[in-house]
Structure formats: C-alpha cells, structure tokens
Amino acid sequence: MNYEEIENRKKVSKEMEEKLLKTMKQKHLKRLSVMEYINDMQITGKEKACLLGSMKNFEQLRRTYVKTSSNCQLLLEVS
C-alpha cells in the first residue's frame, strides 16, 4: 500500500465520521447503533464495507460493544 492509498483512506474515514456526527447531532444522540444507521440509511454492500473499515480511523467517535440478552450490539459513541 502506498502513501496515496493511505491518505485516501484517511480522507474517506474523515468524511464518514463527519457524516455520522452530523446525523447524531440532528437526532440529538450521543450513541448510535451501527445496525440502525445502516438500516435507516439503506446502505449498500460497498458502502457498508467502507463504513466498517473506516471506523478504526475515527478520531471523535469510538466503538462501544453492548451485550444484550443473546446479542452483542456495536454502537458509535462521541468521545
């Protein structure tokens, strides 16, 4: 992977994070379920992969896992 690819991924991650923060502010949320966001926005396969891949580079949001009765839910939380 070269420098340009790394910079492009960081740019995409930043854009995705800003989009999520904007959505969270509009809905007055401090936590956002990733599955609810994917379902609400009707995200396709490639966009879903982009979202999940870019989460590791988020600076203002952090991943939180919450265990419910038999499931584990992924949330994004403002840090």
Side-chain angles (χ1 to χ4, degrees), residues 35-69:
M35 284 307 298
E36 284 180 27
Y37 178 75
I38 288 171
N39 291 334
D40 290 347
M41 301 305 283
Q42 299 175 346
I43 294 177
T44 62
K46 187 173 183 178
E47 293 170 322
K48 198 183 305 182
C50 180
L51 168 66
L52 297 174
S54 63
M55 284 194 307
K56 64 183 173 198
N57 297 320
F58 287 174
E59 296 173 358
Q60 298 176 34
L61 294 172
R62 68 173 183 227
R63 291 177 290 188
T64 305
Y65 297 92
V66 176
K67 185 175 182 188
T68 57
S69 57

Side-chain angles (χ1 to χ4, degrees), residues 9-24:
R9 287 185 181 187
K10 286 181 182 178
K11 181 182 169 190
V12 170
S13 292
K14 186 78 170 165
E15 291 171 358
M16 189 70 68
E17 185 177 27
E18 288 172 1
K19 188 176 177 182
L20 284 162
L21 283 167
K22 183 179 175 185
T23 301
M24 291 172 76

